[in-house]
Amino acid sequence: MTYIELLQKLISIPSLSKEEHETAELIHTFFKNKDIPTHRKGNNVWVKSKNWDDAKPTILLNSHHDTVKPAKGYTRNPFEPTIENGILYGLGSNDAGGSLVALMATFIHFYKKETPFNLVMAATAEEEISGKNGIASVLDDLGKLDLGIIGEPTQMRMAIAEKGLMVVDGYAKGQSGHAAREEGVNALYIALEDIQWIKNYNWAKVSDVLGQTKSTVTQIKAGTQHNVVPDNCHFVIDVRTNEHYSNETAFNILQKNTKSELKARSFRLNSSGISLEHPIVKKGLSMNLPYYGSPTLSDQALINGIPTIKIGCGKSERSHTADEFILVSEIENGIEIYIKLLEGLVF
């Protein structure tokens, strides 16, 4: 089975987040058929270099095999992987199946070779929901890691930093009354004052790579009927933090300056990245690979304490869209670049 055929098989098996059992089994079997010992925990599968040496640094190759639900507007069967004019269509082809199979090919290329590093390849679950049963659940099992390469569609550009994500629920409290009289305290107006402040707030610390931290109110709900002053208003804030603000710091700034009660759903998805001076970034620059800061979240956010770089096949703009696709040539090129990036790497 070629890597393109493997990707087609993965696409043909529905693997929504938390429902990746069959694709995990397929990946497990793929490695097993190549006589590579596999490890599995839940729907996460990983393999390690044949000539493992605890004295060497370890590089994690990681991408995910779960997908979002098919977007509305599909004109094709999202689970029917067809190739037309060098274009492979199907749900998960771009995000992140192309990068996944390219990293698997890269791992197998180096599997028996003597290298100055160990490799561990992890195909993980629940990335699309930042789930607790994905990469976060197996980090301890993978052992000490010194570098992570995260496969996501970046057009093989190096994302050397990634914004963090925090979702915050805001609750404005008022007092109900009749809308025809001067009664009550309108919770919606309280929320609107807070929302106006959030809209206008200028986050002072700007990142050279990621730009400014961004907070956006994306949902609001209040009221039960037209003639009742609402006593409660709920709104949701999407916060994207750069490396100058931890999620907890950003939350405290928001709460200090708003009247509504704020509750963060989680603080764990902080900004992450790698130094321009890291050997793998320098190697990429010597290969004329461009770098940038990514506004979108990946499992990079859950791999704490080690430098990580996000790089992979395809284009981010195709992810989660109807009739998702990736070019076969992008996968082939991705394998070549991954291999060249690791060849002779010392750090």
Side-chain angles (χ1 to χ4, degrees):
M1 184 186 298
T2 68
Y3 296 104
I4 301 302
E5 290 169 341
L6 173 61
L7 177 53
Q8 289 181 288
K9 184 66 176 175
L10 287 167
I11 291 168
S12 72
I13 302 171
S15 56
L16 305 182
S17 300
K18 296 189 175 183
E19 300 174 15
E20 312 97 337
H21 177 81
E22 289 188 53
T23 47
E25 188 61 32
L26 174 62
I27 293 165
H28 167 82
T29 301
F30 183 84
F31 282 121
K32 184 179 178 181
N33 288 341
K34 294 186 177 295
D35 296 321
I36 299 175
T38 61
H39 309 266
R40 181 169 176 178
K41 184 176 183 179
N43 293 330
N44 305 287
V45 179
W46 67 95
V47 287
K48 294 185 174 184
S49 299
K50 184 176 181 63
N51 300 311
W52 189 275
D53 183 349
D54 287 336
K56 295 178 180 179
T58 299
I59 300 174
L60 168 68
L61 307 180
N62 169 245
S63 192
H64 63 96
H65 58 100
D66 64 317
T67 72
V68 296
K69 294 179 181 179
K72 292 182 179 180
Y74 259 90
T75 63
R76 300 168 174 270
N77 181 343
F79 304 109
E80 185 177 325
T82 56
I83 298 177
E84 298 175 11
N85 300 317
I87 302 172
L88 172 54
Y89 293 92
L91 179 64
S93 57
N94 182 77
D95 184 16
S99 298
L100 174 65
V101 298
L103 284 172
M104 291 172 67
T106 301
F107 172 84
I108 290 171
H109 173 84
F110 288 104
Y111 175 60
K112 295 181 180 180
K113 295 181 182 294
E114 286 292 342
T115 57
F117 48 77
N118 303 308
L119 283 179
V120 54
M121 167 72 216
T124 49
E126 295 190 15
E127 187 275 345
E128 295 292 0
I129 59 171
S130 299
K132 294 182 179 179
N133 295 314
I135 185 68
S137 70
V138 297
L139 284 175
D140 289 343
D141 300 281
L142 300 180
K144 182 179 178 294
L145 302 173
D146 299 280
L147 172 66
I149 298 176
I150 312 304
E152 290 284 345
T154 71
Q155 298 176 273
M156 297 310 290
R157 298 178 298 155
M158 299 183 293
I160 65 166
E162 179 181 88
K163 279 190 171 179
L165 168 64
M166 176 175 58
V167 180
V168 178
D169 291 287
Y171 299 93
K173 302 290 185 181
Q175 183 178 340
S176 61
H178 199 296
R181 296 188 290 269
E182 297 297 325
E183 293 180 352
V185 177
N186 196 320
L188 181 54
Y189 291 164
I190 296 171
L192 288 176
E193 288 182 17
D194 288 342
I195 291 169
Q196 189 67 24
W197 183 89
I198 293 166
K199 176 185 176 184
N200 294 331
Y201 182 64
N202 182 39
W203 298 86
K205 298 177 183 178
V206 180
S207 167
D208 291 337
V209 179
L210 291 172
Q212 193 171 45
T213 289
K214 191 172 186 291
S215 50
T216 307
V217 176
T218 55
Q219 294 175 275
I220 187 168
K221 182 179 181 181
T224 56
Q225 59 190 63
H226 77 90
N227 58 353
V228 178
V229 173
D231 59 354
N232 286 282
C233 180
H234 171 224
F235 58 96
V236 178
I237 317 168
D238 178 289
V239 185
R240 306 285 171 155
T241 48
N242 63 28
E243 72 272 24
H244 297 304
Y245 297 93
S246 69
N247 285 339
E248 194 163 1
T249 298
F251 175 84
N252 289 336
I253 291 171
L254 291 170
Q255 184 63 93
K256 181 180 177 181
N257 292 280
T258 51
K259 297 177 182 177
S260 302
E261 179 186 4
L262 303 185
K263 293 182 180 179
R265 297 182 187 178
S266 171
F267 290 125
R268 71 188 183 123
L269 303 175
N270 285 290
S271 175
S272 57
I274 193 169
S275 168
L276 277 170
E277 297 303 313
H278 193 283
I280 196 167
V281 179
K282 289 178 137 181
K283 180 73 178 290
L285 292 173
S286 74
M287 295 165 55
N288 296 316
L289 299 180
Y291 71 89
Y292 73 109
S294 174
T296 57
L297 196 73
S298 73
D299 274 341
Q300 223 177 345
L302 297 174
I303 304 172
N304 300 315
I306 68 165
T308 53
I309 185 171
K310 182 167 70 176
I311 180 172
C313 318
K315 295 181 68 174
S316 181
E317 293 83 356
R318 298 180 199 146
S319 301
H320 306 179
T321 62
D323 296 338
E324 183 181 345
F325 68 91
I326 192 168
L327 308 184
V328 172
S329 61
E330 289 176 325
I331 300 171
E332 294 169 344
N333 183 56
I335 295 171
E336 290 180 11
I337 290 175
Y338 280 142
I339 290 173
K340 188 174 179 181
L341 197 57
L342 289 173
E343 281 179 338
L345 181 67
V346 178
F347 63 102

